[in-house]
């Protein structure tokens, strides 16, 4: 059995955090989408991501020496102990921001999962094999919408440009490994981001160019989420997410 | 401009079966119509294949002409196996 | 064919339980009643996403969160099926939504009550969906084909909704005193509004009689309400909860539960828009619609450009 803070545990929990937080954000759209059909689509994506988060948390819980459940992991940590990337915790903003946030995440998530399917850690490989099918659809959806909105009207183009300006600085963090990821990369348990990088870069550039959107030139890269240094948005999200578990500790729901 | 056109959705629930009309939805283009159909009409694993067609492209027979169109077939009972008397001893035919 | 002949043929179909289909001739009143009823039903599904949606981000476990999200999404799907059924009658979804947003069209008043605790999510599933199902099961046999087909699909999907709610309450009632009190408080607040969902007494209901003769409706408001009470009382007992009605008693000779009088003053107040959440619900829908306008427009513009590019190429 792995020690509590083994790199593998931390990684599984990190993947779960990404899914849960992004799924949470998308679920905020439920009932408020721009059109009924897309409301339903966004909820499907949210459900996929929350489902994936549960699998990662369950895997992490199994590895943990104490008696943890998926809900303990999801609901009972302070924000400093969350290791999701900053991108996924950014507020929904308008539909352009939501679509772009999704696209920047999917453009990394899909090639990453493709490779994670071959992980010698069978638990991870199995989750990846299931998730990769779902995420192929997410990528298709978010990519098409980036193009639609970039190309659509002056207003949609302007909103996408604004979203790019706001979110671009968060994209790189997905490819910057934490210490525990470094360990797993060295032992070839998770894919090396440097191998993903060209494909990832190409996917983003090709899509933006098809959408007629300028590639932002800012050299700024924001990171810290993997080590629990978040933007202030996460705390509010967690206050809501954890409200019941915090207000009524130790009960069964 | 704002209103996306209406599409009719047909789904094959498994290989070997026909596509069947399941309902309609709105979408800006055919790709979106297929994706919306996937998200709206196959949430419970209802399909393996989707057709969409813009509703305005469907031409329908006129219900007022029901007699002209279908009455003639109704009287052709000899097209049906039960029209013919075959003794039971012959067995299944 | 003369109008009299058309009317006669229509009446014969209704009588013989033959469904009316979109292109068939139908009396104006029948068409209008259907548009009003189906769109009202569609609006109810979509507005109904809001009180439960209010708890998606606060669901107390991941399992509950996924189930609630899927359930609220279903309501959206059901709204969509119903708008599509209404559209077969010659109105557009846009027109119907405009009527909702300008306050002309109604939706079920139950959604103007606030969802204030996690137990409310249980109560909404159990009581509100339970009451809705009574109505929906009946409507599977409604005389208009597209409406009937939409209802069949909806009933199939709804089947998990009520169970989802009941299971939430069952868990609370088997939990701590605090949880049980939460469940009881929720029943206290949702019981009477749920009974109101069936509408006014048959004697007061303006559209009922005509709808019954057209077989749009197959059972009266009071019949459905009674069936709901009869089904629900034993379920409340199993939970160990008390229904907030001192007049509730079993009538051996009729085989039904007798219950007290609904506060009709409250009912009409909420219908008129003076419920605690009426304004908030409408505002939420208006905001979603207005903030989505540029998205819908952009998608059309892109589709148009794509078509043009293909034509040129």
């Amino acid at each position: 059995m792995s020690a509590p803070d083994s790199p593998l545990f931390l990684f599984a929990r990190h993947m779960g955090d990404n899914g849960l937080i992004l799924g949470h954000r998308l679920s905020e759209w439920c009932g408020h989408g721009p059109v009924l059909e897309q409301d339903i689509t966004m909820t499907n994506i949210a459900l996929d991501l929350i489902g994936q988060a549960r699998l990662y948390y369950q895997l992490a819980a199994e590895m943990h020496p104490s008696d943890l459940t998926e809900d303990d992991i999801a609901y009972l940590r302070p924000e400093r102990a969350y290791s999701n990337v900053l991108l996924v915790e950014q507020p929904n903003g308008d539909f352009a921001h939501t679509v772009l946030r999704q696209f920047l995440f999917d453009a990394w998530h899909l090639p990453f999962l493709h490779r994670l399917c071959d992980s010698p850690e069978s638990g991870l490989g199995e989750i990846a094999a299931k998730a990769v099918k779902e995420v192929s659809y997410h990528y298709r959806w978010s990519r098409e919408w980036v193009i639609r909105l970039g190309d659509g009207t002056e207003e949609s183009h302007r909103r996408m440009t604004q979203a790019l300006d706001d979110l671009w600085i968060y994209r790189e963090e997905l490819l910057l490994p934490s210490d525990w990821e470094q360990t797993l990369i060295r032992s070839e348990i998770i894919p090396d981001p440097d191998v993903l990088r060209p494909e990832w870069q190409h996917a983003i550039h090709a899509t933006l160019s098809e959408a007629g959107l300028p590639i932002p030139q800012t050299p700024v890269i924001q990171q810290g989420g993997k080590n629990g240094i978040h933007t202030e948005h996460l705390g509010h999200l967690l206050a809501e997410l954890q409200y019941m578990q915090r207000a009524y500790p130790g009960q069964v729901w | 401009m704002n209103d996306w056109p209406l599409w009719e959705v047909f789904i094959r629930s498994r290989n070997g079966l026909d596509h069947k009309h399941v309902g309609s939805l709105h979408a800006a283009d055919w790709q979106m119509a297929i994706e919306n159909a996937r998200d709206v009409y196959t949430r419970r694993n209802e399909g393996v294949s989707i057709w969409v067609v813009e509703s305005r492209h469907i031409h329908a027979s006129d219900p007022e002409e029901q007699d002209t169109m279908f009455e003639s077939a109704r009287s052709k009972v000899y097209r049906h196996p039960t029209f013919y008397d075959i003794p039971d001893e012959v067995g299944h035919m | 064919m003369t109008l009299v002949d058309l009317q006669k043929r229509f009446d014969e179909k209704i009588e013989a339980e033959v469904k009316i289909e979109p292109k068939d001739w139908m009396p104006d009143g029948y068409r209008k009643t259907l548009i009003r009823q189906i769109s009202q039903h569609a609006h109810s599904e979509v507005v109904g996403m809001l009180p439960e949606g209010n708890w998606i981000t606060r669901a107390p476990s991941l399992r509950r969160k996924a189930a609630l999200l899927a359930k609220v999404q279903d309501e959206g799907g059901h709204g969509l099926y119903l708008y599509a059924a209404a559209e077969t009658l010659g109105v557009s979804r846009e027109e119907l939504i405009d009527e909702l947003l300008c306050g002309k069209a109604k939706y079920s008043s139950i959604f103007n009550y606030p969802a204030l605790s996690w137990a409310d999510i249980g109560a909404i599933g159990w009581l509100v969906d339970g009451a809705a199902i009574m109505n929906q099961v009946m409507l599977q046999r409604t005389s208009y084909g597209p409406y009937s087909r939409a209802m069949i699909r909806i009933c199939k999907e709804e089947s998990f909704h009520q169970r989802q709610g009941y299971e939430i309450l069952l868990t609370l009632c088997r939990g701590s005193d605090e949880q049980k009190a939460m469940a009881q408080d929720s029943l206290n607040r949702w019981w009477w509004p749920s009974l109101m969902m069936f509408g006014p007494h048959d004697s007061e209901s303006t559209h009922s009689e005509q709808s019954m003769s057209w077989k749009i409706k197959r059972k009266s408001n009071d019949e459905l309400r009674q069936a709901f009470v009869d089904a629900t009382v034993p379920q409340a007992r199993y939970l160990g909860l008390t229904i907030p009605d001192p007049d509730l008693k079993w009538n051996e000779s009729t085989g039904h539960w007798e219950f007290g009088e609904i506060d009709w003053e409250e009912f009409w107040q909420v219908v008129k828009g003076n419920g605690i959440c009426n304004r908030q619900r409408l505002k939420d829908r208006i905001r979603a619609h207005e903030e989505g306008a540029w998205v819908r427009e952009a998608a059309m513009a892109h589709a148009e450009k794509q078509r043009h590019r293909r034509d040129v190429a």
Side-chain angles (χ1 to χ4, degrees):
Chain A
M1 189 172 282
S2 322
D5 286 326
S6 75
L8 200 53
F9 172 84
L10 292 171
F11 174 74
R13 198 175 68 175
H14 156 72
M15 291 296 282
D17 288 347
N18 279 345
L20 178 62
I21 302 302
L22 186 54
H24 181 106
R25 281 295 187 217
L26 285 171
S27 79
E28 293 171 358
W29 274 104
C30 186
H32 307 275
V35 65
L36 216 34
E37 282 81 352
Q38 292 303 316
D39 201 305
I40 292 169
T41 301
M42 284 192 278
T43 303
N44 272 346
I45 298 177
L47 281 168
D48 286 343
L49 290 169
I50 291 169
Q52 292 166 18
R54 292 182 68 184
L55 296 176
Y56 286 118
Y57 286 155
Q58 285 161 12
L59 184 70
E62 271 171 39
M63 281 181 234
H64 203 269
S66 66
D67 218 7
L68 278 183
T69 67
E70 56 173 28
D71 287 334
D72 296 336
I73 299 179
Y75 288 93
L76 300 177
R77 280 178 294 150
E79 57 191 289
R80 287 281 283 109
Y82 270 78
S83 61
N84 57 277
V85 292
L86 303 179
L87 177 69
V88 297
E89 70 199 36
Q90 298 311 303
N92 286 340
D94 62 7
F95 189 69
H97 281 76
T98 295
V99 158
L100 186 72
R101 182 185 63 199
Q102 192 65 38
F103 172 70
L104 292 176
F105 185 71
D106 296 341
W108 162 81
H109 202 194
L110 183 59
F112 184 82
L113 286 176
H114 268 304
R115 287 174 179 76
L116 191 63
C117 288
D118 302 326
S119 171
E121 267 306 321
S122 62
L124 286 179
E126 281 162 28
I127 298 174
K130 179 180 185 297
V132 75
K133 295 176 197 150
E134 298 169 347
V135 172
S136 308
Y137 187 78
H138 304 174
Y139 176 68
R140 178 169 155 184
W141 177 83
S142 60
R143 184 180 174 278
E144 281 175 7
W145 271 106
V146 167
I147 294 167
R148 246 182 221 121
L149 297 179
D151 180 57
T153 60
E154 244 172 71
E155 178 173 13
S156 69
H157 185 85
R158 178 178 59 71
R159 285 175 184 267
M160 279 308 286
T161 309
Q162 182 63 50
L164 265 172
D165 198 42
D166 292 341
L167 296 172
W168 187 251
I169 52 175
Y170 299 114
R171 84 198 186 291
E172 187 89 12
E173 187 185 7
L174 289 157
L175 281 88
L176 300 175
S178 61
D179 293 346
W180 30 274
E181 281 174 305
Q182 298 278 18
T183 310
L184 296 172
I185 292 164
R186 274 195 301 272
S187 47
E188 297 187 343
I189 288 172
I190 65 170
D192 184 344
D194 287 335
V195 177
L196 297 179
R197 189 174 288 274
E199 191 182 335
W200 169 79
Q201 199 132 33
H202 175 76
I204 293 179
H205 286 191
T207 303
L208 292 185
S209 131
E210 199 178 337
L213 290 163
I215 291 158
Q217 293 307 316
T218 171
V220 176
I221 292 170
Q222 288 298 345
Q223 56 173 325
K226 290 180 182 180
N227 294 317
I229 306 294
H230 292 277
T231 57
E232 289 180 349
H233 304 297
L234 183 68
H236 295 280
L237 185 156
L238 293 180
E240 211 172 319
L241 176 84
Q242 301 182 342
Y243 160 62
M244 289 296 290
Q245 291 274 353
R246 299 296 194 180
Y248 306 93
Q251 313 207 3
V252 177
W253 300 98
Chain B
M1 183 66 177
N2 238 337
D3 220 2
W4 293 352
L6 192 67
W7 299 73
E8 300 302 320
V9 180
F10 301 81
I11 289 181
R12 185 202 293 288
S13 56
R14 59 186 163 81
N15 278 13
L17 297 180
D18 289 323
H19 285 77
K20 191 170 166 255
H21 183 241
V22 294
S24 35
L25 46 74
H26 289 271
D29 52 52
W30 66 266
Q31 280 110 327
M32 197 204 279
I34 288 183
E35 288 161 22
N36 289 351
R38 177 258 193 199
D39 284 314
V40 172
Y41 288 104
T42 68
R43 297 200 302 286
R44 287 172 171 77
N45 213 1
E46 291 98 331
V48 295
S49 162
I50 296 172
W51 288 350
V52 292
V53 57
E54 223 185 303
S55 310
R56 67 188 172 93
H57 293 313
I58 291 189
H59 301 276
S61 64
D62 183 350
E64 294 309 308
E65 290 179 8
Q66 208 163 334
D67 291 349
T68 320
M69 296 282 284
F70 308 113
E71 191 57 42
S72 127
R74 231 165 268 160
S75 59
K76 311 276 192 300
V77 284
Y78 43 78
R79 286 198 207 273
H80 299 281
T82 47
F83 179 74
Y84 304 93
D85 279 331
I86 305 288
D88 287 348
E89 301 89 83
V90 180
H92 178 71
M93 185 179 278
Chain C
M1 220 180 282
T2 69
L3 206 58
V4 177
D5 292 334
L6 289 166
Q7 178 73 49
K8 187 162 165 275
R9 184 185 278 195
F10 173 83
D11 292 341
E12 283 165 2
K13 278 191 199 156
I14 296 286
E15 179 59 31
E17 300 284 335
V18 174
K19 298 277 185 242
I20 307 299
E21 292 296 343
K23 284 173 160 278
D24 292 351
W25 183 89
M26 59 188 87
D28 266 355
Y30 179 82
R31 184 184 299 273
K32 281 199 189 112
T33 302
L34 278 172
I35 292 175
R36 181 176 47 77
Q37 185 177 325
I38 300 173
S39 63
Q40 202 167 310
H41 197 159
H43 299 327
S44 300
E45 297 282 356
V46 174
V47 176
M49 297 170 82
L50 299 172
E52 287 178 288
N54 180 36
W55 278 90
I56 290 170
T57 54
R58 289 180 290 171
S61 73
L62 295 179
R63 175 175 177 268
R64 293 283 180 218
K65 188 188 285 290
L68 180 60
L69 194 47
K71 184 197 176 232
V72 179
Q73 182 198 41
D74 271 353
E75 316 287 1
H78 298 169
L80 193 154
Y81 307 156
L82 288 161
Y83 282 127
E87 282 178 281
T88 62
L89 293 158
V91 282
S92 70
R93 190 198 290 179
E94 195 72 13
E95 290 172 290
L96 297 174
I97 289 177
D98 283 345
E99 289 198 344
L100 170 71
L101 301 185
C102 76
K104 205 174 135 209
K106 298 267 178 264
Y107 56 88
S108 179
S109 279
I110 191 80
F111 302 118
N112 293 316
Y113 289 86
L116 300 176
S117 74
W118 173 249
D120 285 10
I121 298 308
I124 292 174
W126 173 40
L127 299 174
V128 177
D129 287 87
I133 285 166
M134 290 281 163
N135 205 21
Q136 287 163 347
V137 166
M138 162 193 84
L139 287 170
Q140 293 182 99
R141 292 166 49 237
T142 193
S143 57
Y144 186 56
Y147 193 21
S148 157
R149 289 191 286 276
M151 289 320 304
I152 289 169
R153 180 172 269 276
I154 289 171
C155 283
K156 213 185 283 172
E157 298 188 353
E158 283 271 343
S159 56
F160 93 84
H161 294 183
Q162 200 186 10
R163 293 169 68 100
Q164 181 255 170
Y166 196 72
E167 194 196 77
I168 287 173
L169 289 178
L170 201 54
T171 308
L172 295 181
C173 290
R174 287 172 177 165
S176 65
D177 290 346
E178 216 174 3
Q179 286 175 306
K180 200 166 171 188
M182 196 189 279
Q184 181 64 55
D185 170 60
S186 182
L187 174 58
N188 293 348
R189 284 180 290 110
W190 290 93
W191 174 254
W192 289 106
S194 300
L195 295 194
M196 293 177 199
M197 282 177 72
F198 297 96
H201 281 309
D202 298 345
S203 51
E204 311 281 319
S205 178
T206 39
H207 304 292
S208 260
E209 208 176 320
Q210 178 64 76
S211 283
M212 296 275 281
S213 75
W214 277 330
K215 295 187 181 168
I216 293 177
K217 262 178 90 131
R218 315 287 314 228
K219 283 181 179 170
S220 78
N221 294 355
D222 286 328
E223 264 179 281
L224 288 166
R225 185 162 24 234
Q226 184 65 57
F228 173 72
V229 172
D230 290 344
T232 311
V233 173
Q235 293 164 354
R237 301 215 152 167
Y238 185 81
L239 291 172
L241 296 177
T242 310
I243 288 176
D245 178 0
D247 298 325
L248 189 75
K249 66 168 184 287
W250 175 248
N251 184 325
E252 193 67 54
S253 62
T254 59
H256 290 297
W257 285 92
E258 289 175 2
F259 52 96
E261 197 50 59
I262 287 169
D263 179 352
W264 293 109
E265 171 57 22
E266 177 183 322
F267 173 80
W268 289 114
Q269 278 303 322
V270 182
V271 170
K272 281 179 196 143
N274 301 324
I276 194 163
C277 294
N278 290 64
R279 282 152 199 261
Q280 182 195 341
R281 300 290 185 240
L282 215 49
K283 254 187 204 155
D284 276 358
R285 288 313 313 158
I286 291 171
R287 180 157 22 92
H289 191 72
E290 286 178 353
E291 287 179 3
W294 70 269
V295 178
R296 299 190 297 274
E297 208 168 295
M300 278 312 281
H302 170 70
E304 205 53 58
K305 286 184 190 175
Q306 288 289 80
R307 239 190 314 276
H308 185 70
R309 286 178 196 127
R310 262 197 307 274
D311 291 347
V312 172

